[in-house]
């Protein structure tokens, strides 16, 4: 992978020839493709250099991934096409967007993990194989979602996207924070939707959700692996800068999720969920139930305080008019307020925002 790449002419031509292929709408909140400093990654996973690597723990995880619990899970049936044909009007369009964005996000994980698996093979074969096995899972998820798009007579040209789309560069420590959070949040989102639709089958309008129970266990395992990775890199967790950055990522991931979902309330309402309550539930479960989160993102737990629900709603409301700049605005505002400390708390509005960041 490269940090940035531009569309080749031949790829563009082949894309135009393929009818029914979807393009990704590029916005700040669209799922991104990531690349990182692979040389630094090799240093971090070198057992000669990093004595914190607990290889017994990684070998146990490797065995778990090799078991491949979901090998036979993602099998489609005729219900898919029948359900897609029944989805008409605005809900059909919003379903297509859901499939397209989810497929892009899963495929993004596939690309990053595949490259990490390839690059770490010599330095740390155990960690490298886990990355490769995770890329297997993500490819399966992306493929299943792309087949879902075929029920709507569409498809994402993933080969073209791999070459043509820009890659966002994150240093390894930011990859760890963001990916760990994404995997764990992914788990909570999938299981919440699955449980809700099991209790309210009248909203089960497309069968893909029935697969979420086992699917989310893949994401949970991926999160557990990143948890083990971060434990082996205490320099990314323990000093004041690391604490600040981990909180920054935690809040920015939650805000991004919230803004994305608030722009797509029609989808959540279409499956019988209240968007804000759904997101709050995911944040609460992620921050309070996941014992792994607390050592890495201690500031996150205050989001579960009732007074802070309105804080996040307020951030979303403020950002709705700002669109892409809103995310940057509110996240940096948080950071500034955290640094300013007591002075910021004198302003009631600022004080409420700042309270999300208290350790
Ligand atoms: Fe996935
Ligand atoms: Fe995953």
């Amino acid at each position: 992978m490269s940090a940035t790449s531009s569309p080749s002419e031949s790829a563009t031509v082949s894309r135009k020839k393929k009818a029914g292929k979807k393009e990704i709408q590029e916005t700040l909140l669209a799922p991104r493709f990531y690349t990182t400093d692979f040389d630094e990654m090799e240093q971090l996973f070198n057992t000669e250099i990093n004595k914190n690597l607990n290889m017994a723990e990684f070998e146990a995880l490797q065995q778990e991934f090799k078991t491949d619990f979901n090998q036979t899970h993602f099998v489609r049936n005729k219900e898919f096409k029948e359900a897609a044909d029944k989805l008409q009007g605005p809900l059909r369009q919003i379903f297509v967007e859901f499939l397209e964005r989810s497929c892009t996000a899963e495929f993004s994980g596939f690309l990053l993990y595949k490259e990490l698996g390839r690059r770490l093979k010599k330095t740390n074969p155990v960690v490298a194989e886990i990355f490769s096995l995770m890329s297997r899972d993500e490819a399966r998820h992306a493929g299943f979602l792309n087949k879902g798009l075929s029920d709507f007579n569409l498809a994402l040209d993933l080969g073209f996207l791999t070459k043509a789309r820009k890659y966002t560069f994150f240093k390894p420590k930011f990859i760890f924070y963001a990916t760990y959070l994404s995997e764990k949040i992914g788990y909570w989102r999938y299981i919440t939707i699955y449980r809700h639709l099991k209790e309210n089958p009248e909203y089960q309008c497309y069968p893909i959700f029935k697969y979420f129970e086992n699917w989310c266990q893949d994401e949970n395992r991926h999160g557990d692996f990143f948890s083990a990775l971060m434990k082996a890199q205490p320099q990314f967790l323990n000093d004041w800068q690391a604490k600040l950055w981990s909180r920054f990522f935690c809040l920015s991931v939650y805000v991004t999720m919230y803004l994305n979902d608030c722009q797509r309330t029609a989808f959540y309402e279409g499956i019988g969920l209240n968007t804000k309550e759904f997101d709050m539930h995911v944040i609460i479960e992620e921050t309070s139930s996941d014992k792994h989160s607390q050592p890495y993102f201690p500031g996150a737990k205050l989001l579960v305080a009732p007074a802070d629900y309105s804080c996040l709603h307020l951030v979303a409301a403020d950002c709705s008019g700002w669109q892409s700049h809103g995310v940057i605005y509110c996240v940096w505002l948080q950071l500034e307020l955290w640094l300013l400390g007591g002075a910021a708390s004198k302003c009631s509005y600022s004080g409420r925002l700042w309270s999300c960041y208290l350790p």
Side-chain angles (χ1 to χ4, degrees):
M1 287 199 301
S2 58
T4 56
S5 53
S6 41
S8 70
E9 268 184 32
S10 59
T12 310
V13 171
S14 80
R15 177 176 50 127
K16 282 177 184 167
K17 279 180 187 167
K18 289 177 184 171
K21 294 277 177 184
K22 288 279 294 169
E23 285 180 48
I24 299 292
Q25 208 185 341
E26 299 289 356
T27 67
L28 192 74
L29 294 175
R32 286 159 183 269
F33 289 176
Y34 294 96
T35 187
T36 189
D37 183 338
F38 293 104
D39 293 333
E40 188 187 336
M41 281 284 188
E42 282 185 80
Q43 301 260 312
L44 295 173
F45 293 109
N46 187 327
T47 48
E48 297 294 310
I49 298 170
N50 185 355
K51 300 293 178 196
N52 293 308
L53 287 161
N54 181 348
M55 289 315 294
E57 187 177 11
F58 288 120
E59 279 157 17
L61 284 164
Q62 182 190 27
Q63 287 312 313
E64 200 180 338
F65 278 103
K66 273 185 175 176
T67 307
D68 197 2
F69 294 98
N70 282 337
Q71 192 177 21
T72 56
H73 179 61
F74 294 93
V75 179
R76 281 161 53 86
N77 56 42
K78 64 181 175 60
E79 277 181 50
F80 281 79
K81 182 68 180 151
E82 288 167 6
D85 290 343
K86 280 186 201 153
L87 283 168
Q88 294 300 328
L91 194 57
R92 184 177 176 86
Q93 185 49 44
I94 206 89
F95 253 83
V96 166
E97 197 194 359
F98 160 76
L99 291 170
E100 180 192 304
R101 289 176 63 87
S102 303
C103 180
T104 311
E106 297 280 9
F107 191 67
S108 165
F110 159 75
L111 289 173
L112 180 67
Y113 299 160
K114 185 175 156 240
E115 190 63 8
L116 281 162
R118 196 178 72 78
R119 293 290 294 261
L120 295 174
K121 214 176 250 176
K122 275 194 193 140
T123 318
N124 192 324
V126 174
V127 166
E129 187 174 14
I130 298 175
F131 273 119
S132 298
L133 293 169
M134 291 203 310
S135 78
R136 168 205 66 195
D137 295 343
E138 304 298 17
R140 204 176 266 159
H141 301 165
F144 200 64
L145 287 155
N146 214 5
K147 281 194 180 135
L149 277 169
S150 73
D151 297 326
F152 297 84
N153 305 316
L154 296 163
L156 277 179
D157 188 342
L158 297 174
F160 170 76
L161 283 180
T162 306
K163 291 184 208 125
R165 214 154 171 248
K166 280 189 180 172
Y167 286 76
T168 301
F169 178 85
F170 270 180
K171 285 174 74 63
K173 76 171 170 184
F174 301 143
I175 289 281
F176 292 157
Y177 299 152
T179 315
Y180 168 80
L181 284 164
S182 301
E183 296 288 3
K184 286 292 178 183
I185 286 170
Y187 164 76
W188 282 110
R189 288 172 70 82
Y190 286 158
I191 197 67
T192 302
I193 291 173
Y194 174 81
R195 287 174 183 161
H196 160 73
L197 291 175
K198 202 176 175 201
E199 279 173 27
N200 303 280
E202 68 274 22
Y203 291 107
Q204 186 73 263
C205 49
Y206 187 65
I208 205 161
F209 306 115
K210 292 179 187 168
Y211 293 73
F212 278 12
E213 189 181 28
N214 288 32
W215 186 329
C216 73
Q217 295 305 331
D218 283 343
E219 313 304 2
N220 204 26
R221 275 187 286 275
H222 300 171
D224 288 346
F225 171 59
F226 275 98
S227 177
L229 289 189
M230 285 201 285
K231 251 192 319 187
Q233 314 293 341
Q235 74 280 15
F236 292 165
L237 300 169
N238 293 338
D239 66 15
W240 71 270
Q241 288 160 306
K243 285 191 165 73
L244 192 64
W245 276 113
S246 67
R247 285 170 203 190
F248 170 85
F249 265 80
C250 188
L251 190 75
S252 60
V253 167
Y254 287 148
V255 168
T256 305
M257 174 181 80
Y258 196 73
L259 293 176
N260 264 319
D261 290 347
C262 284
Q263 286 173 2
R264 291 168 186 83
T265 50
F267 172 77
Y268 296 97
E269 284 166 9
I271 57 169
L273 283 166
N274 175 302
T275 311
K276 290 180 179 177
E277 285 174 12
F278 168 66
D279 274 26
M280 283 304 152
H281 174 80
V282 168
I283 293 171
I284 290 164
E285 292 296 332
E286 159 63 13
T287 52
S288 59
S289 307
D290 183 5
K291 64 181 187 304
H292 294 298
S293 286
Q294 298 307 329
Y296 311 137
F297 305 104
K301 66 177 180 241
L302 276 154
L303 281 168
V304 304
D308 291 318
Y309 297 162
S310 54
C311 151
L312 201 58
H313 294 327
L314 197 58
V315 169
D318 278 359
C319 292
S320 59
W322 286 62
Q323 299 206 349
S324 59
H325 296 103
V327 182
I328 298 168
Y329 156 75
C330 64
V331 169
W332 279 107
L333 182 62
Q334 289 283 318
L335 195 60
E336 279 174 26
L337 293 171
W338 190 88
L339 289 166
L340 289 169
S345 66
K346 285 174 187 156
C347 161
S348 63
Y349 170 67
S350 303
R352 285 173 66 180
L353 285 171
W354 174 69
S355 68
C356 289
Y357 255 164
L358 281 170

